[in-house]
Amino acid sequence: MKLIILDHYSQASEWAAKYIRNRIIQFNPGPEKYFTLGLPTGAFLDGEGAVDRSGESRQQGPGSTPLGCYKKLIEYYKNGDLSFKYVKTFNMDEYVGLPRDHPESYHSFMWNNFFKHIDIHPENTHILDGNAVDLQAECDAFEEKIKAAGGIELFVGGIGPDGHIAFNEPGSSLVSRTRVKTLAMDTILANARFFDGELTKVPTMALTVGVGTVMDAREVMILITGAHKAFALYKAIEEGVNHMWTVSAFQQHPRTVFVCDEDATLELKVKTVKYFKGLMLVHNKLVDPLYSIKEKET
Amino acid sequence: MRGGQGAAEARVLQFTNCRILRGGKLLREDLWVRGGRILDPEKLFFEERRVADERRDCGGRILAPGFIDVQINGGFGVDFSQATEDVGSGVALVARRILSHGVTSFCPTLVTSPPEVYHKVVPQIPVKSGGPHGAGVLGLHLEGPFISREKRGAHPEAHLRSFEANAFQDLLATYGPLDNVRIVTLAPELGHSHEVIRELTTRGICVSLGHSVADLRAAEDAVWSGATFITHLFNAMLPFHHRDPGIVGLLTSDRLPAGRCIFYGMIADGTHTNPAALRIAHRAHPQGLVLVTDAIPALGLGNGRHTLGQQEVEVDGLTAYVAGTKTLSGSIAPMDVCVRHFLQATGCSVESALEAASLHPAQLLGLEKSKGTLDFGADAGEGASQGYWAAWPYL
């Protein structure tokens, strides 16, 4: 794996966004060759500056959300340096039974915080439908869509404090595929504040890509920021592969990048941190030089 | 093009680089329009999987809902109260010209007139949708003749009326059929007014109190009977008195039906209402404030002397005088000027100023689902018409 350590959340977000940008541009996508990108959703519970439908900004405090990364990607598009015209996206998860236009749905999150700001064509975006009549069929169809798109080039994800990737809660099979999962009570309680504090209104199930689904991607990038994720990061990379900490599965993936801030490394051995910090000179070459589609046009 | 199969195939227009008034706030959001309605782009994205067919850059301007003028007596030389053979073309002319002032819907207003005039004019002004050709006609505003003699203002005394025993029949005999009528201004202290107010309200006609010497109690009773509007607050009514605030007291009355909002028209041209009075009303009851022009035919004619029917009028900037005198002859400030003056005089937010000319009149007429708002599903049109309008950047 590559462990990229930056000082703060904003720098980690920027590094991740630059990496994604370079990967897309160097891939040189076109009408016959789309860049397939797996995407995480912002967990509002950890969110920082997420925006909802009414334009209200939702300041929830620092956390390991991809929001900062999305903001930078939007900036690159607005500056004309990056285009999503030939990018296909596959989101990791969605709540079951929540109306698609509910402000807490992942569809809403992706629309308000990413899709509406960039030039991606709606037909190239894929998010699981939590209101499908046959949920498992919906999950199977999602797997087929990924296959039809030629597999995922780069899957970007986050990690939960319990070491889960997407909604693959502790105990999920490390070879699992896209399926329905029941949410842990902790998750439901944490989410209650976004449903007017009413537990009965909080979704109890979600559709999620499996650990195996993400493992199939050609490359995986995990964003981990904040001290509350530190223990999970330690379990994920310094302990063994274990279905109780599902992110640990990526130790067996040939190309994984973990992008962190200082706080997320607090539970790691000093030796580990020093080793990877020492490699930053080499790793920074992945984002510097920073490519732009403007150069390709000239 | 409205609804049905046609709408799904219609072009999708996306206004970018703008600020839109939505939910009482100015948001940096794109405005999407299709088939004469404001479109929800998230639905378009996820359900129809479509992008816009055309994008228009608004250069950072504010996109506000079209203004609604519920009291306008004419303009550009046209007098709505004049019984000509071709009333329609006069209305169309005004409808076209007020578009450039941001007004996309209006209620042509007739002042106190003899029954013959109503019988001739009213049927010639039907409700009509707006478009690039001109603002839409929402229905007529009949101001008088059932008003107070003492507070008639400029209305001709000879044609004032009170209700006879068969009050509503009397009204029908005066006006003729009410199909094209949207608002009636009357004085509630007139005998039998309550049965008239109730009858008009049942027919969906908005009853407004004005040109009246009613005290607060009488005004409150009228609201209980169904009145929902006050015609040009402060003008043509008893002045506010601390022991009996009169009609003005409705703004803060605690004796109104629960949940009912009383709306009141204000002429914010800088002349007809002292800015301090404007501020008192606004601070007392901001939700009910409705900006109106109460414009006369001299609107838009430019400086100088003009002959309008029997009157000689002298226009000087934003004020119109009876020629050769210092007597005000009526309002000639267009709606966008009223909005700007209101903003400046009250120091309110841009959002409030815009809502006073769009959302509030729409709420008064029960049209807020389709007009006076940029919510999804509301009416919209191509360019500066129906539902929206791009305001100038320095608003």
Side-chain angles (χ1 to χ4, degrees):
Chain A
M1 74 165 175
K2 296 186 179 75
L3 180 63
I4 313 289
I5 305 171
L6 286 311
D7 288 342
H8 298 293
Y9 171 76
S10 52
Q11 288 149 315
S13 299
E14 187 171 11
W15 199 101
K18 283 180 176 175
Y19 186 78
I20 297 171
R21 168 175 159 174
N22 270 1
R23 283 284 271 114
I24 295 175
I25 294 172
Q26 285 177 303
F27 182 89
N28 199 15
E32 305 302 315
K33 185 183 148 201
Y34 280 76
F35 187 95
T36 47
L37 186 60
L39 292 177
T41 333
F44 285 120
L45 28 153
D46 317 318
E48 185 175 86
V51 167
D52 70 14
R53 183 176 257 276
S54 72
E56 284 293 309
S57 100
R58 320 261 307 268
Q59 218 65 32
Q60 299 297 340
S64 62
T65 72
L67 209 48
C69 182
Y70 282 138
K71 283 196 174 134
K72 291 305 282 185
L73 289 172
I74 292 167
E75 192 188 298
Y76 300 152
Y77 159 70
K78 290 209 151 94
N79 291 339
D81 291 314
L82 180 62
S83 167
F84 293 88
K85 194 166 171 202
Y86 297 115
V87 174
K88 283 188 178 158
T89 64
F90 291 86
N91 270 73
M92 293 184 131
D93 43 21
E94 175 61 287
Y95 288 114
V96 167
L98 203 58
R100 199 212 60 237
D101 57 3
H102 190 285
E104 299 301 324
S105 81
Y106 286 168
H107 280 79
S108 288
F109 180 92
M110 289 308 298
W111 168 254
N112 285 303
N113 294 292
F114 195 47
F115 295 149
K116 82 176 176 194
H117 303 281
I118 56 173
D119 63 341
I120 195 160
H121 195 284
E123 283 183 342
N124 294 330
T125 64
H126 303 276
I127 308 182
L128 285 155
D129 176 9
N131 292 298
V133 170
D134 183 343
L135 294 173
Q136 193 49 51
E138 169 68 13
C139 294
D140 296 340
F142 199 73
E143 291 272 343
E144 286 305 309
K145 285 187 195 132
I146 294 174
K147 216 180 277 175
I152 307 239
E153 191 59 36
L154 171 64
F155 219 127
V156 181
I159 186 176
D162 57 1
H164 71 236
I165 175 119
F167 274 121
N168 294 289
E169 314 274 56
S172 296
S173 159
L174 299 180
V175 292
S176 51
R177 309 304 306 184
T178 306
R179 68 217 183 285
V180 186
K181 282 290 279 185
T182 307
L183 303 183
M185 181 48 75
D186 277 354
T187 311
I188 295 173
L189 289 172
N191 285 351
R193 63 186 147 147
F194 303 112
F195 294 88
D196 305 318
E198 292 228 30
L199 281 182
T200 48
K201 286 192 188 163
V202 185
T204 54
M205 297 202 294
L207 302 183
T208 178
V209 292
V211 182
T213 317
V214 183
M215 281 289 286
D216 280 352
R218 287 182 274 288
E219 184 172 8
V220 177
M221 181 164 85
I222 310 284
L223 303 173
I224 310 177
T225 56
H228 60 306
K229 301 288 175 78
F231 193 73
L233 178 59
Y234 150 68
K235 280 288 185 185
I237 66 174
E238 284 189 342
E239 295 287 295
V241 173
N242 187 322
H243 67 171
M244 285 300 169
W245 301 89
T246 48
V247 178
S248 63
F250 298 106
Q251 291 179 27
Q252 298 198 297
H253 191 290
R255 276 179 87 188
T256 305
V257 182
F258 286 88
V259 182
C260 325
D261 62 359
E262 276 285 345
D263 284 348
T265 64
L266 287 174
E267 294 281 352
L268 299 179
K269 287 205 172 80
V270 173
K271 183 168 82 173
T272 312
V273 174
K274 282 195 169 182
Y275 173 73
F276 284 103
K277 277 193 172 171
L279 287 177
M280 279 309 285
L281 242 102
V282 173
H283 289 158
N284 274 333
K285 293 201 179 130
L286 295 166
V287 295
D288 178 21
L290 193 58
Y291 297 108
S292 165
I293 53 172
K294 286 179 189 161
E295 296 153 18
K296 303 237 157 208
E297 278 153 23
T298 53
Chain B
M1 247 191 290
R2 221 30 90 90
Q5 301 283 36
E9 309 312 317
R11 285 174 64 75
V12 173
L13 187 53
Q14 179 187 2
F15 291 85
T16 63
N17 192 12
C18 52
R19 284 178 290 155
I20 66 172
L21 181 66
R22 186 175 279 159
K25 295 195 208 83
L26 278 174
L27 307 172
R28 261 229 156 262
E29 287 283 343
D30 294 347
L31 186 75
W32 296 62
V33 174
R34 175 171 67 184
R37 292 260 143 91
I38 311 266
L39 185 62
D40 181 350
E42 186 177 345
K43 260 183 118 144
L44 186 75
F45 189 91
F46 287 127
E47 280 176 24
E48 293 178 57
R49 318 285 266 173
R50 268 181 75 172
V51 292
D53 295 303
E54 188 188 333
R55 278 189 185 82
R56 287 192 200 164
D57 189 317
C58 296
R61 289 187 183 86
I62 294 172
L63 237 53
F67 299 147
I68 301 172
D69 193 354
V70 300
Q71 187 170 9
I72 168 171
N73 309 291
F76 317 98
V78 173
D79 181 353
F80 295 141
S81 303
Q82 218 172 31
T84 63
E85 290 309 320
D86 186 13
V87 171
S89 44
V91 173
L93 172 74
V94 173
R96 185 166 47 81
R97 296 290 300 269
I98 57 179
L99 273 188
S100 64
H101 295 296
V103 179
T104 57
S105 301
F106 69 116
C107 294
T109 305
L110 269 70
V111 298
T112 295
S113 304
E116 310 83 75
V117 170
Y118 293 117
H119 296 161
K120 186 154 185 182
V121 173
V122 172
Q124 289 191 63
I125 311 180
V127 169
K128 190 173 177 197
S129 294
H133 57 275
V137 174
L138 295 175
L140 293 169
H141 179 166
L142 302 181
E143 190 188 6
F146 302 101
I147 55 175
S148 149
R149 194 156 299 265
E150 198 184 316
K151 290 293 180 185
R152 68 186 183 278
H155 291 229
E157 183 168 4
H159 302 301
L160 298 181
R161 296 174 81 91
S162 52
F163 299 114
E164 302 302 314
N166 242 326
F168 191 69
Q169 295 312 314
D170 203 18
L171 179 139
L172 278 181
T174 306
Y175 290 146
L178 297 173
D179 306 323
N180 297 339
V181 177
R182 199 70 190 78
I183 306 175
V184 170
T185 291
L186 50 76
E189 69 271 21
L190 296 179
H192 305 282
S193 68
H194 288 275
E195 61 179 88
V196 171
I197 296 173
R198 275 193 288 271
E199 190 65 37
L200 287 171
T201 308
T202 339
R203 285 163 186 247
I205 293 175
C206 165
V207 176
S208 184
L209 308 177
H211 288 278
S212 156
V213 294
D215 58 18
L216 179 58
R217 191 56 187 251
E220 286 164 343
D221 289 343
V223 173
W224 275 92
S225 291
T228 52
F229 196 45
I230 302 171
T231 302
H232 45 55
L233 188 79
F234 297 127
N235 299 102
M237 58 185 64
L238 292 177
F240 175 89
H241 184 281
H242 55 288
R243 274 191 293 279
D244 190 339
I247 292 175
V248 178
L250 286 177
L251 266 58
T252 47
S253 167
D254 60 356
R255 277 199 63 244
L256 299 182
R260 185 95 78 81
C261 176
I262 186 83
F263 291 94
Y264 57 100
M266 296 245 43
I267 306 170
D269 64 347
T271 309
H272 283 74
T273 312
N274 185 295
L278 187 57
R279 282 191 287 275
I280 286 177
H282 172 66
R283 285 180 204 176
H285 182 35
Q287 308 314 98
L289 200 148
V290 172
L291 291 173
V292 301
T293 59
D294 200 14
I296 58 168
L299 166 74
L301 291 185
N303 289 343
R305 192 175 273 239
H306 307 280
T307 306
L308 298 163
Q310 308 298 346
Q311 265 201 319
E312 286 280 318
V313 163
E314 184 95 39
V315 172
D316 178 18
L318 282 176
T319 333
Y321 301 96
V322 175
T325 75
K326 280 283 159 211
T327 309
L328 287 177
S329 148
S331 329
I332 52 165
M335 184 61 96
D336 57 309
V337 171
C338 292
V339 171
R340 281 204 175 77
H341 178 261
F342 174 69
L343 177 68
Q344 184 202 56
T346 58
C348 68
S349 63
V350 173
E351 294 88 326
S352 295
L354 293 173
E355 285 190 334
S358 57
L359 179 66
H360 294 175
Q363 287 170 329
L364 167 71
L365 299 178
L367 297 170
E368 68 269 31
K369 290 252 173 318
S370 59
K371 298 216 186 300
T373 153
L374 296 176
D375 287 348
F376 303 136
D379 292 351
E382 297 288 328
S385 63
Q386 276 289 72
Y388 62 84
W389 172 67
W392 293 291
Y394 52 90
L395 184 77

